[in-house]
Structure formats: C-alpha cells, structure tokens
Amino acid sequence: MQSIRQKVEKVASSGVPILIQGDNGTGKGLLARFIHNRSVAPASTFVKVNCAAIPGALLESELFGYEKGAFTGAYSSKAGRVELAHGGTLFLDGIDEIDMSLQAKLLQLLQDGQFSRIGGQEDRHVQLRVICATNRHLEEDITQGRFRQDLFYRINVVNIQLPSLKARIGDIGTLVAYFLDVHQARHNVQVQPLSPAVMRLLEKHPWPGNIRELENLIERYVILGSEDAVSSELLTWEHIHEESDVPMDGQIHLKKVTRQAVHELERKIILSVLEANRWNRKRTASALKISYRALLYKIRRAGLPSKRTLATAKTTAERPVIINGD
C-alpha cells in the first residue's frame, strides 16, 4: 500500500488516464477520489459513473447528454456526466460493462477531448482526467472480443493494482481502529475496543468482501455494542464454507454421514470459540448461547480437553525438545 501511495503521489498532478484494478471492496472508488484530491485542481468537480448500474441503452445519454428531440421523451437538452466533469475528474467505475459501440465514443473523448451529444450536430470539447476501475482482467475481455484493445491502451497509461484484504492482513488492526473512530462519530456512541480474541478471528477470516466487508462488520459492532455479533458471524462463515469429506464411491448412508458432519462441525466451532475466549468455559457457553452444563457435555462428547492446560500440555508434548538453541 505504501508503494501504491508513492506511485499516486507521482502521477496525481500529471492528469494522465489511470486504470485501477482490484476485487470488489478493495477501495477502488476511494483511491480514485484520493487521486483527484491530490491533482492540480483538487477543488474541481469529481464525477463518478457506475457503469454497471446503468443499462447500456441509457449509459450513452448519461455520459454524453442529449439534445432536445433526440429521442422520445427528450423535451429539453441535457448535459451528460462528461460535460459536468469539465476541468475535473471523470471516474468510470466498472469500465468493462461499457458495450463496444460506446467504447468507440469514449476512445474519441480520450484521444482528442471531443464528443457530441446524442442528436447533436457539433462536437464539444472538454478538459478532464479520466480514471477507470474494474474488477476484471481486461486482457481476457480483449482476447474474447468484449473490450477494444486501443481503448485499453488509452485508459491504461498508469495501472494500479489494489491487493485484497487477505493479502494485507497486517493492516487489519489499523483499519479496525479507523472504522471504529468513523462509525462511533457517525452514530454518536462509544464502544470498547475489540478484544484480542476477536482480533485473532478477524485475522483468520478470508475476507471475500475485502475492506467493505470489514467496515460493515465494524459498523454492526458499533451499533449493537456486542462482540458476539462479530465473532458468531465469522465462525459461522468459516465452518459453512469448509468442505466436508463425503465418500463419492459406493453407497452413502446419508443419515450417518450427515450426523458425523454435524458432530465434526460442532466440535470445530466449540474448539474455535474456546480458543477465542482463552478456554474460559463460562464465556464460551455465553458466546455459543448454551448452558454451561451443556457445554461441558459437548466438550466431553467431542473429545476435547476440558481445560486449556491439558491442551497446552498435549501440544507441548508433541514439539521437539530444543537444547542450547540447537
């Protein structure tokens, strides 16, 4: 991320087109505004267009505007987003969703800064920076004929690849602290910092929704004020997405396999919650929403150590003995 920031600081004032690539939720829109705020005209207009949210038939008029009488319902002329971004930044989120015919018009805009409204007879000229974003590999779309190669070269003067949150686990602590500050101020409440046990769960989570998922989780914690809402969701997601070892050859006793899978899932959940609560069985029972007696029974049935010291001793016994640092 520091490398990305250094690149942004170098190119922000140049005005060249920038292509931001990364999975959903990695912060492409936030980075685009960050670039705009560090441009030569940070006070100018920042216009965002979500290309995936606008049907193809309407996207052209939304981008380039139209003249009165250009089509049924066009009772007056209307400026498009391109004109509104004159002197500032046009951010095209989901550039891969633009169809081929509209890509040609966008290419002309990038080449000479000119375009025409729908139904218009004259070319209009604008000066703006174009930042595009996509969660797809445009090179594959070019090979399959879904994206123009010449347009790709125009928008890809500077390329920025945003990593997934899974690839930057070390940043979770900083991001959690930031989102706590933001949402406590937004909702006018104060909550306790997340416990080390929950922080360990956050670091183990694969984060398919990336930073957006993390922010939503922290906002939920701020609103509800309970760590259970965070830990239970993380544990549920983890175990739902684990693959079960189901025999695929011969006959399958469905009830038996299902019962074994449920017992194994229950064992893993109990073990994870025990570890998250440092083997405090009362807190574990509370987190699992079961009675203390029921937890003790399930621990015995699952063959789990009843105390953390037993688990530690077992783990220690399995480690090699190290003498004099050898």
Side-chain angles (χ1 to χ4, degrees), residues 315-323 326:
T315 303
T316 304
E318 295 172 350
R319 295 175 182 168
V321 178
I322 300 175
I323 302 177
D326 294 334

Side-chain angles (χ1 to χ4, degrees), residues 17-180:
I18 296 175
L19 176 63
I20 305 173
Q21 293 180 284
D23 294 336
N24 289 332
T26 51
K28 297 186 292 294
L30 188 64
L31 181 60
R33 188 171 287 278
F34 181 85
I35 294 170
H36 171 76
N37 291 339
R38 280 153 181 76
S39 65
V40 293
S44 59
T45 306
F46 178 87
V47 178
K48 176 181 177 179
V49 181
N50 188 342
C51 301
I54 304 174
L58 299 178
L59 185 56
E60 182 177 3
S61 63
E62 190 68 24
L63 279 174
F64 298 105
Y66 52 83
E67 297 290 355
K68 180 180 179 180
F71 49 82
T72 302
Y75 300 115
S76 61
S77 298
K78 179 183 176 182
R81 301 287 185 91
V82 169
E83 287 180 75
L84 296 176
H86 177 60
T89 300
L90 177 67
F91 174 47
L92 300 177
D93 192 12
I95 185 68
D96 52 280
E97 297 291 340
I98 295 181
D99 60 39
M100 295 293 285
S101 60
L102 190 52
Q103 289 178 29
K105 197 166 183 178
L106 182 59
L107 178 63
Q108 180 189 7
L109 173 68
L110 288 166
Q111 285 177 335
D112 53 28
Q114 292 185 341
F115 73 97
S116 60
R117 292 179 178 178
I118 298 176
Q121 301 299 319
E122 61 179 29
D123 286 337
R124 296 172 178 268
H125 187 272
V126 291
Q127 291 183 337
L128 48 76
R129 156 178 254 155
V130 177
I131 301 177
C132 300
T134 179
N135 61 357
R136 284 163 51 175
H137 297 286
L138 292 182
E139 296 86 348
E140 296 179 4
D141 287 355
I142 292 172
T143 302
Q144 297 173 10
R146 294 197 300 261
F147 201 85
R148 293 178 62 115
Q149 189 173 43
D150 48 4
L151 177 59
F152 174 73
Y153 291 141
R154 283 288 177 179
I155 65 176
N156 195 36
V157 176
V158 174
N159 185 283
I160 298 177
Q161 295 277 345
L162 279 178
S164 65
L165 183 55
K166 186 178 180 180
R168 43 185 298 210
I169 295 299
D171 292 343
I172 285 183
T174 303
L175 291 168
V176 166
Y178 171 74
F179 289 136
L180 280 173

Side-chain angles (χ1 to χ4, degrees), residues 189-232:
V189 295
Q190 289 291 323
V191 295
Q192 294 294 321
L194 290 172
S195 66
V198 174
M199 290 302 299
R200 287 194 292 271
L201 288 175
L202 293 177
E203 292 173 356
K204 290 170 57 180
H205 189 61
W207 298 111
N210 292 293
I211 300 175
R212 184 182 297 129
E213 181 185 359
L214 175 62
E215 180 179 8
N216 291 342
L217 200 66
I218 298 304
E219 184 174 17
R220 186 178 310 126
Y221 167 64
V222 169
I223 294 172
L224 299 177
S226 170
E227 287 191 347
D228 290 345
V230 176
S231 58
S232 61

